[in-house]
Amino acid sequence: MKEYRTLTADGMAEEEIKKSRFICHLKRVASEEEARDFINAIKKEHYRATHNCSAFILGENMEIKRSSDDGEPSGTAGVPMLTVLENNQLTNVAAVVTRYFGGVKLGAGGLIRAYAGAVAHAVSEIGIVEVKEQQGIAITMNYSQYQEFANWRTTHALEEYDTEFLADIRTMIFTDKKETQDIIDSLTEFYHGKIQVEKADFRIVEIPVH
């Protein structure tokens, strides 16, 4: 699979700009149908709102992009929202910004800043993850060797998973495929070749982007 970036989770954030309420809902989506269902659900929930503008991006290569101004002046809402998603390199994400008009007109520039800002604020609040496929490495060692394992892991910023304490200790780590051999070589050198190390299955991981 190709690596891509998306939201940490679904969520929302709200801002008030010149007495208008701007509520941004963000959702991870896997298809255009799911994105449109989400947009319609927000529209139904906020049917009294002045506008429910939207944008979404789909595909590991960000190949599907759609946006809607929902009655705002052309180009002042949907495209600025989409641009924020693009600038953050996000995909499989849908955004809806609901506006409750507060009586003060913002002008074209003000609307662009408000809608883009609402999405940027929500993305910042929720967070971003990088979705990638990593290679598993299965390690078998004795108990005295395991006492040193945490120090080695800390050096390489790796976590351990599925650890079993039996006659020997069996545990798993995961790393980017291109780094797998270097990690195995490091382990072998650290333990002078006296532990058992073998490649295992791949898995999908989500790594926070700071």
Side-chain angles (χ1 to χ4, degrees):
M1 64 171 287
K2 181 181 173 67
E3 295 177 7
Y4 64 92
R5 287 157 60 116
T6 192
L7 295 171
T8 300
D10 302 342
M12 58 86 67
E14 181 174 343
E15 294 183 299
E16 183 175 310
I17 301 171
K18 293 186 177 179
K19 299 184 179 180
S20 281
R21 288 175 64 203
F22 289 87
I23 308 166
C24 178
H25 286 86
L26 293 173
K27 182 176 175 61
R28 290 171 58 152
V29 292
S31 66
E32 190 160 351
E33 180 182 11
E34 188 178 356
R36 295 196 183 281
D37 286 346
F38 166 65
I39 293 165
N40 289 332
I42 298 298
K43 285 184 173 181
K44 186 175 181 179
E45 179 183 352
H46 293 278
Y47 69 94
R48 292 183 181 274
T50 319
H51 304 281
N52 286 289
C53 305
S54 60
F56 62 85
I57 299 178
L58 290 164
E60 291 180 5
N61 296 306
M62 304 172 70
E63 57 266 32
I64 300 174
K65 300 178 182 181
R66 304 281 188 269
S67 65
S68 168
D69 294 313
D70 193 42
E72 290 282 29
S74 180
T76 63
V79 170
M81 291 167 60
L82 189 67
T83 299
V84 172
L85 300 180
E86 290 173 328
N87 289 346
N88 282 282
Q89 301 175 323
L90 297 176
T91 191
N92 294 349
V93 172
V96 181
V97 175
T98 299
R99 182 190 184 190
Y100 287 90
F101 182 57
V104 179
K105 293 185 177 181
L106 300 181
L111 288 171
I112 291 170
R113 287 189 295 273
Y115 280 100
V119 176
H121 175 60
V123 169
S124 177
E125 288 286 308
I126 294 167
I128 297 170
V129 291
E130 185 174 36
V131 181
K132 59 170 67 175
E133 189 176 59
Q134 289 193 324
Q135 171 89 58
I137 301 174
I139 306 160
T140 304
M141 65 186 85
N142 62 39
Y143 280 76
S144 63
Q145 291 168 332
Y146 184 71
Q147 291 176 4
E148 302 175 319
F149 186 55
N151 292 332
W152 178 86
R153 284 195 301 102
T154 301
T155 301
H156 293 274
L158 293 168
E159 299 293 329
E160 65 176 297
Y161 301 89
D162 305 330
T163 305
E164 295 180 305
F165 297 91
L166 303 171
D168 285 320
I169 295 172
R170 184 175 174 85
T171 189
M172 293 280 296
I173 57 175
F174 290 86
T175 186
D176 291 351
K177 185 177 180 180
K178 62 180 179 291
E179 299 173 358
T180 302
Q181 193 57 51
D182 288 341
I183 293 296
I184 290 174
D185 291 344
S186 174
L187 265 170
T188 302
E189 181 180 352
F190 185 79
Y191 285 106
H192 306 291
K194 294 180 179 179
I195 63 170
Q196 182 180 333
V197 182
E198 57 187 357
K199 293 180 182 179
D201 292 338
F202 287 89
R203 73 167 192 176
I204 306 302
V205 297
E206 297 187 1
I207 300 170
V209 176
H210 301 290

